[in-house]
Amino acid sequence: MTASVGIVGASGYGGAELLRLLAGHPQLEVAVVAAHSQAGEPVASLFPNLAGTAVFDAVDVDRLAGLDLVFLSTPHGPSLELGAALHDAGVRTVDLSAAFRLPADGFATWYGETHPRPDLAPAVYGLPEFNRKQIADATLVANPGCYVTTALLGLVPLASLVQPGTVVVDGKSGTSGAGRAAKDALHATHVAGSVTAYGAPAHRHTGEIEAHLAAFGADLGPISFTPHLLPIPRGLLTTSYATLRDGVSADDVQRALVQAYADEPFVHVLAPGEFPVVKAVTGSNGAQLSAVTDPRTRRVTVVAVTDNLGKGAAGQALQNANLLLGLEETTGLTAIGLYP
């Protein structure tokens, strides 16, 4: 079986990473590579690693509606329109934006605008480790945010072990997470040799983390989340802290994580005290995590790493697409990063 797929927003980093991954996929054929402002330009003019004769297409909804699956790698504004149109046409769609991740009221709170299609908000949430069956049966899948994916992988299995209202998430991401647009804060001279926080105390991913902790049975109440910008192109690390419930031991924490991911192809749990490193998953769809507990403070520290363009975006989108199309979930993907 060969399925035809399209990418809208292929001129962004997420879209380009999808093109790279799909080039090695044995059962998916890229039929449309759409990018509104770059239509007609060679793909290689932006991404020299994708050398060849491909050019960016214009966005044509009728043409997209004839495909087996469409990836939307656009900002949430265009995705709101395109995602709804493709859903209504019955086209299986994976949306990498925030357009359909939250209920309509949550979207209004965190994005400051009314959701035009509350009947689609939220769509099926694309975190396969906790939502595999629902994804396989869906038409529209909301690919999770990169920070959210990484934080949830560490926190959801520990839901019954920690006290609600005590969770703090510290996130750090490479510069590709901010997109391809030129921004002063992303200038190489400003980023190199420096680390800075941004978006606190109300970064939009805060609401997404809270909403989907609750959706996956881990309602831990309000959390504090602060993202930081790292001087690296790609990779993401979250360090999450929470107070343990009475009687919970370090063995309980490790057992919960190991049991949660024993059969997962992309998530690897390290031994306590063996902390994951971003470089280990760069270029892959893998995630690594570990946890340590402090008997003095009764707190647990969970460290998790992903590639923000891999498991945090395009890799996870392809994982979801495989499920939607009835393919082996791991096809075209690896959990093994580029090292060194």
Side-chain angles (χ1 to χ4, degrees):
M1 167 191 171
T2 299
S4 60
V5 303
I7 304 169
V8 181
S11 61
Y13 289 141
E17 184 70 356
L18 275 168
L19 280 171
R20 184 183 75 85
L21 294 173
L22 289 167
H25 197 293
Q27 293 172 277
L28 300 183
E29 179 182 358
V30 180
V32 176
V33 184
H36 177 71
S37 60
Q38 273 78 32
E41 296 294 322
V43 172
S45 66
L46 289 182
F47 304 110
N49 62 318
L50 301 174
T53 59
V55 299
F56 291 113
D57 300 302
V59 179
D60 183 334
V61 176
D62 290 337
R63 186 180 178 193
L64 293 170
L67 303 178
D68 294 305
L69 183 139
V70 174
F71 297 98
L72 297 180
S73 188
T74 59
H76 73 266
S79 282
L80 285 168
E81 179 179 351
L82 288 169
L86 292 169
H87 172 272
D88 293 347
V91 181
R92 286 165 288 198
T93 303
V94 181
D95 177 32
L96 280 72
S97 83
F100 301 99
R101 293 174 185 163
L102 293 172
D105 57 348
F107 183 84
T109 297
W110 293 97
Y111 288 83
E113 55 189 282
T114 301
H115 202 290
R117 287 293 300 268
D119 57 312
L120 299 179
V124 172
Y125 197 63
L127 191 56
E129 287 72 18
F130 306 118
N131 221 23
R132 189 168 277 115
K133 183 180 185 304
Q134 290 81 357
I135 294 166
D137 294 336
T139 300
L140 176 61
V141 171
N143 216 56
C146 51
Y147 281 119
V148 186
T149 291
T150 316
L152 291 179
L153 289 173
L155 289 171
V156 171
L158 304 184
S160 64
L161 306 182
V162 303
Q163 296 181 19
T166 68
V167 177
V168 176
V169 179
D170 177 299
K172 297 178 175 66
S173 176
T175 57
S176 59
R180 194 175 62 82
K183 301 174 185 176
D184 187 68
L186 301 178
H187 194 292
T189 305
H190 301 165
V191 174
S194 181
V195 178
T196 185
Y198 64 96
H203 189 280
R204 290 168 170 176
H205 280 182
T206 307
E208 190 182 337
I209 296 171
E210 291 177 353
H212 292 288
L213 279 172
F216 293 135
D219 191 351
L220 296 176
I223 69 162
S224 296
F225 168 60
T226 303
H228 301 75
L229 185 68
L230 290 176
I232 59 175
R234 55 196 292 169
L236 190 149
L237 180 148
T238 60
T239 305
S240 301
Y241 310 88
T243 300
L244 293 169
R245 294 179 184 267
D246 292 342
V248 174
S249 69
D251 288 343
D252 294 329
V253 169
Q254 184 68 9
R255 187 180 304 111
L257 292 174
V258 170
Q259 290 178 349
Y261 299 117
D263 299 319
E264 291 297 337
F266 296 114
V267 184
H268 184 65
V269 179
L270 306 179
E274 184 180 344
F275 295 107
V277 296
V278 167
K279 190 71 173 177
V281 296
T282 299
S284 81
N285 195 51
Q288 294 188 7
L289 56 90
S290 68
V292 292
T293 60
D294 183 350
R296 183 179 65 87
T297 61
R298 295 291 304 152
R299 293 182 70 79
V300 61
T301 300
V302 188
V303 182
V305 296
T306 61
D307 185 332
N308 60 289
L309 293 178
K311 183 64 171 167
Q316 184 148 261
L318 180 52
Q319 187 180 354
N320 284 318
N322 285 335
L323 287 167
L324 282 167
L325 294 169
L327 306 176
E328 173 58 43
E329 187 176 331
T330 59
T331 306
L333 295 166
T334 179
I336 302 171
L338 302 171
Y339 197 93

PDB file of all heavy atoms in Angstrom, residues 240-259:
ATOM      1  N   SER A 240      10.719  18.571  35.614  1.00  0.00           N
ATOM      2  CA  SER A 240       9.459  18.768  36.324  1.00  0.00           C
ATOM      3  C   SER A 240       9.633  18.358  37.787  1.00  0.00           C
ATOM      4  O   SER A 240      10.258  17.343  38.083  1.00  0.00           O
ATOM      5  CB  SER A 240       8.344  17.927  35.691  1.00  0.00           C
ATOM      6  OG  SER A 240       8.163  18.261  34.333  1.00  0.00           O
ATOM      7  N   TYR A 241       9.057  19.168  38.663  1.00  0.00           N
ATOM      8  CA  TYR A 241       9.157  18.946  40.095  1.00  0.00           C
ATOM      9  C   TYR A 241       7.754  18.828  40.699  1.00  0.00           C
ATOM     10  O   TYR A 241       6.842  19.541  40.282  1.00  0.00           O
ATOM     11  CB  TYR A 241       9.867  20.114  40.784  1.00  0.00           C
ATOM     12  CG  TYR A 241      11.176  20.538  40.154  1.00  0.00           C
ATOM     13  CD1 TYR A 241      11.191  21.479  39.121  1.00  0.00           C
ATOM     14  CD2 TYR A 241      12.388  20.020  40.598  1.00  0.00           C
ATOM     15  CE1 TYR A 241      12.386  21.890  38.550  1.00  0.00           C
ATOM     16  CE2 TYR A 241      13.584  20.426  40.023  1.00  0.00           C
ATOM     17  CZ  TYR A 241      13.578  21.352  39.004  1.00  0.00           C
ATOM     18  OH  TYR A 241      14.760  21.757  38.429  1.00  0.00           O
ATOM     19  N   ALA A 242       7.585  17.946  41.670  1.00  0.00           N
ATOM     20  CA  ALA A 242       6.303  17.838  42.363  1.00  0.00           C
ATOM     21  C   ALA A 242       6.536  17.207  43.731  1.00  0.00           C
ATOM     22  O   ALA A 242       7.499  16.457  43.932  1.00  0.00           O
ATOM     23  CB  ALA A 242       5.308  17.004  41.569  1.00  0.00           C
ATOM     24  N   THR A 243       5.648  17.505  44.667  1.00  0.00           N
ATOM     25  CA  THR A 243       5.710  16.922  46.004  1.00  0.00           C
ATOM     26  C   THR A 243       5.016  15.560  46.004  1.00  0.00           C
ATOM     27  O   THR A 243       3.900  15.421  45.489  1.00  0.00           O
ATOM     28  CB  THR A 243       5.027  17.841  47.031  1.00  0.00           C
ATOM     29  OG1 THR A 243       5.706  19.100  47.030  1.00  0.00           O
ATOM     30  CG2 THR A 243       5.081  17.242  48.426  1.00  0.00           C
ATOM     31  N   LEU A 244       5.671  14.580  46.580  1.00  0.00           N
ATOM     32  CA  LEU A 244       5.124  13.225  46.623  1.00  0.00           C
ATOM     33  C   LEU A 244       4.026  13.109  47.677  1.00  0.00           C
ATOM     34  O   LEU A 244       4.047  13.785  48.709  1.00  0.00           O
ATOM     35  CB  LEU A 244       6.225  12.221  46.938  1.00  0.00           C
ATOM     36  CG  LEU A 244       7.298  12.048  45.857  1.00  0.00           C
ATOM     37  CD1 LEU A 244       8.465  11.237  46.409  1.00  0.00           C
ATOM     38  CD2 LEU A 244       6.718  11.368  44.623  1.00  0.00           C
ATOM     39  N   ARG A 245       3.071  12.236  47.414  1.00  0.00           N
ATOM     40  CA  ARG A 245       2.074  11.920  48.428  1.00  0.00           C
ATOM     41  C   ARG A 245       2.729  11.134  49.562  1.00  0.00           C
ATOM     42  O   ARG A 245       3.798  10.526  49.395  1.00  0.00           O
ATOM     43  CB  ARG A 245       0.939  11.091  47.818  1.00  0.00           C
ATOM     44  CG  ARG A 245       0.106  11.836  46.781  1.00  0.00           C
ATOM     45  CD  ARG A 245      -0.968  10.924  46.222  1.00  0.00           C
ATOM     46  NE  ARG A 245      -1.737  11.549  45.156  1.00  0.00           N
ATOM     47  CZ  ARG A 245      -2.868  12.214  45.331  1.00  0.00           C
ATOM     48  NH1 ARG A 245      -3.361  12.345  46.568  1.00  0.00           N
ATOM     49  NH2 ARG A 245      -3.506  12.734  44.320  1.00  0.00           N
ATOM     50  N   ASP A 246       2.092  11.141  50.711  1.00  0.00           N
ATOM     51  CA  ASP A 246       2.609  10.412  51.861  1.00  0.00           C
ATOM     52  C   ASP A 246       2.749   8.930  51.520  1.00  0.00           C
ATOM     53  O   ASP A 246       1.855   8.324  50.904  1.00  0.00           O
ATOM     54  CB  ASP A 246       1.688  10.568  53.070  1.00  0.00           C
ATOM     55  CG  ASP A 246       1.686  11.987  53.627  1.00  0.00           C
ATOM     56  OD1 ASP A 246       2.636  12.735  53.310  1.00  0.00           O
ATOM     57  OD2 ASP A 246       0.749  12.336  54.361  1.00  0.00           O
ATOM     58  N   GLY A 247       3.865   8.357  51.931  1.00  0.00           N
ATOM     59  CA  GLY A 247       4.081   6.928  51.758  1.00  0.00           C
ATOM     60  C   GLY A 247       4.657   6.516  50.424  1.00  0.00           C
ATOM     61  O   GLY A 247       4.962   5.329  50.219  1.00  0.00           O
ATOM     62  N   VAL A 248       4.822   7.458  49.476  1.00  0.00           N
ATOM     63  CA  VAL A 248       5.364   7.122  48.163  1.00  0.00           C
ATOM     64  C   VAL A 248       6.882   7.057  48.232  1.00  0.00           C
ATOM     65  O   VAL A 248       7.536   7.965  48.763  1.00  0.00           O
ATOM     66  CB  VAL A 248       4.922   8.156  47.111  1.00  0.00           C
ATOM     67  CG1 VAL A 248       5.604   7.884  45.769  1.00  0.00           C
ATOM     68  CG2 VAL A 248       3.410   8.128  46.946  1.00  0.00           C
ATOM     69  N   SER A 249       7.453   5.999  47.698  1.00  0.00           N
ATOM     70  CA  SER A 249       8.900   5.794  47.751  1.00  0.00           C
ATOM     71  C   SER A 249       9.530   6.003  46.386  1.00  0.00           C
ATOM     72  O   SER A 249       8.841   6.077  45.355  1.00  0.00           O
ATOM     73  CB  SER A 249       9.211   4.369  48.230  1.00  0.00           C
ATOM     74  OG  SER A 249       8.820   3.426  47.237  1.00  0.00           O
ATOM     75  N   ALA A 250      10.861   6.048  46.372  1.00  0.00           N
ATOM     76  CA  ALA A 250      11.593   6.153  45.112  1.00  0.00           C
ATOM     77  C   ALA A 250      11.324   4.945  44.226  1.00  0.00           C
ATOM     78  O   ALA A 250      11.221   5.066  43.000  1.00  0.00           O
ATOM     79  CB  ALA A 250      13.084   6.288  45.388  1.00  0.00           C
ATOM     80  N   ASP A 251      11.178   3.779  44.832  1.00  0.00           N
ATOM     81  CA  ASP A 251      10.874   2.572  44.060  1.00  0.00           C
ATOM     82  C   ASP A 251       9.505   2.682  43.388  1.00  0.00           C
ATOM     83  O   ASP A 251       9.317   2.215  42.261  1.00  0.00           O
ATOM     84  CB  ASP A 251      10.913   1.334  44.952  1.00  0.00           C
ATOM     85  CG  ASP A 251      12.330   0.942  45.362  1.00  0.00           C
ATOM     86  OD1 ASP A 251      13.286   1.410  44.709  1.00  0.00           O
ATOM     87  OD2 ASP A 251      12.471   0.180  46.341  1.00  0.00           O
ATOM     88  N   ASP A 252       8.538   3.287  44.082  1.00  0.00           N
ATOM     89  CA  ASP A 252       7.210   3.475  43.496  1.00  0.00           C
ATOM     90  C   ASP A 252       7.283   4.349  42.244  1.00  0.00           C
ATOM     91  O   ASP A 252       6.625   4.070  41.231  1.00  0.00           O
ATOM     92  CB  ASP A 252       6.264   4.140  44.504  1.00  0.00           C
ATOM     93  CG  ASP A 252       5.970   3.263  45.710  1.00  0.00           C
ATOM     94  OD1 ASP A 252       5.969   2.026  45.559  1.00  0.00           O
ATOM     95  OD2 ASP A 252       5.740   3.828  46.795  1.00  0.00           O
ATOM     96  N   VAL A 253       8.075   5.396  42.314  1.00  0.00           N
ATOM     97  CA  VAL A 253       8.241   6.307  41.181  1.00  0.00           C
ATOM     98  C   VAL A 253       8.865   5.582  39.991  1.00  0.00           C
ATOM     99  O   VAL A 253       8.352   5.642  38.864  1.00  0.00           O
ATOM    100  CB  VAL A 253       9.096   7.528  41.583  1.00  0.00           C
ATOM    101  CG1 VAL A 253       9.495   8.345  40.361  1.00  0.00           C
ATOM    102  CG2 VAL A 253       8.353   8.389  42.586  1.00  0.00           C
ATOM    103  N   GLN A 254       9.954   4.883  40.233  1.00  0.00           N
ATOM    104  CA  GLN A 254      10.632   4.186  39.139  1.00  0.00           C
ATOM    105  C   GLN A 254       9.736   3.100  38.544  1.00  0.00           C
ATOM    106  O   GLN A 254       9.670   2.934  37.320  1.00  0.00           O
ATOM    107  CB  GLN A 254      11.950   3.585  39.642  1.00  0.00           C
ATOM    108  CG  GLN A 254      12.796   2.917  38.569  1.00  0.00           C
ATOM    109  CD  GLN A 254      13.373   3.902  37.556  1.00  0.00           C
ATOM    110  OE1 GLN A 254      13.273   5.116  37.739  1.00  0.00           O
ATOM    111  NE2 GLN A 254      13.975   3.403  36.498  1.00  0.00           N
ATOM    112  N   ARG A 255       9.037   2.389  39.393  1.00  0.00           N
ATOM    113  CA  ARG A 255       8.149   1.329  38.914  1.00  0.00           C
ATOM    114  C   ARG A 255       7.045   1.894  38.020  1.00  0.00           C
ATOM    115  O   ARG A 255       6.722   1.314  36.971  1.00  0.00           O
ATOM    116  CB  ARG A 255       7.531   0.593  40.107  1.00  0.00           C
ATOM    117  CG  ARG A 255       6.710  -0.648  39.714  1.00  0.00           C
ATOM    118  CD  ARG A 255       6.120  -1.319  40.945  1.00  0.00           C
ATOM    119  NE  ARG A 255       7.148  -1.660  41.912  1.00  0.00           N
ATOM    120  CZ  ARG A 255       7.293  -1.080  43.103  1.00  0.00           C
ATOM    121  NH1 ARG A 255       6.450  -0.109  43.483  1.00  0.00           N
ATOM    122  NH2 ARG A 255       8.251  -1.449  43.926  1.00  0.00           N
ATOM    123  N   ALA A 256       6.492   3.038  38.386  1.00  0.00           N
ATOM    124  CA  ALA A 256       5.421   3.639  37.598  1.00  0.00           C
ATOM    125  C   ALA A 256       5.907   4.030  36.205  1.00  0.00           C
ATOM    126  O   ALA A 256       5.209   3.809  35.201  1.00  0.00           O
ATOM    127  CB  ALA A 256       4.866   4.863  38.328  1.00  0.00           C
ATOM    128  N   LEU A 257       7.098   4.587  36.120  1.00  0.00           N
ATOM    129  CA  LEU A 257       7.643   4.988  34.825  1.00  0.00           C
ATOM    130  C   LEU A 257       7.982   3.775  33.964  1.00  0.00           C
ATOM    131  O   LEU A 257       7.651   3.730  32.770  1.00  0.00           O
ATOM    132  CB  LEU A 257       8.884   5.854  35.016  1.00  0.00           C
ATOM    133  CG  LEU A 257       8.657   7.234  35.638  1.00  0.00           C
ATOM    134  CD1 LEU A 257       9.990   7.921  35.908  1.00  0.00           C
ATOM    135  CD2 LEU A 257       7.783   8.106  34.739  1.00  0.00           C
ATOM    136  N   VAL A 258       8.621   2.786  34.555  1.00  0.00           N
ATOM    137  CA  VAL A 258       9.015   1.591  33.798  1.00  0.00           C
ATOM    138  C   VAL A 258       7.787   0.858  33.279  1.00  0.00           C
ATOM    139  O   VAL A 258       7.735   0.431  32.112  1.00  0.00           O
ATOM    140  CB  VAL A 258       9.889   0.670  34.672  1.00  0.00           C
ATOM    141  CG1 VAL A 258      10.101  -0.679  33.988  1.00  0.00           C
ATOM    142  CG2 VAL A 258      11.231   1.330  34.960  1.00  0.00           C
ATOM    143  N   GLN A 259       6.772   0.711  34.119  1.00  0.00           N
ATOM    144  CA  GLN A 259       5.560   0.015  33.682  1.00  0.00           C
ATOM    145  C   GLN A 259       4.835   0.784  32.585  1.00  0.00           C
ATOM    146  O   GLN A 259       4.290   0.189  31.654  1.00  0.00           O
ATOM    147  CB  GLN A 259       4.638  -0.219  34.877  1.00  0.00           C
ATOM    148  CG  GLN A 259       5.156  -1.259  35.862  1.00  0.00           C
ATOM    149  CD  GLN A 259       4.242  -1.449  37.063  1.00  0.00           C
ATOM    150  OE1 GLN A 259       3.307  -0.681  37.292  1.00  0.00           O
ATOM    151  NE2 GLN A 259       4.507  -2.484  37.851  1.00  0.00           N
TER     152      GLN A 259
END
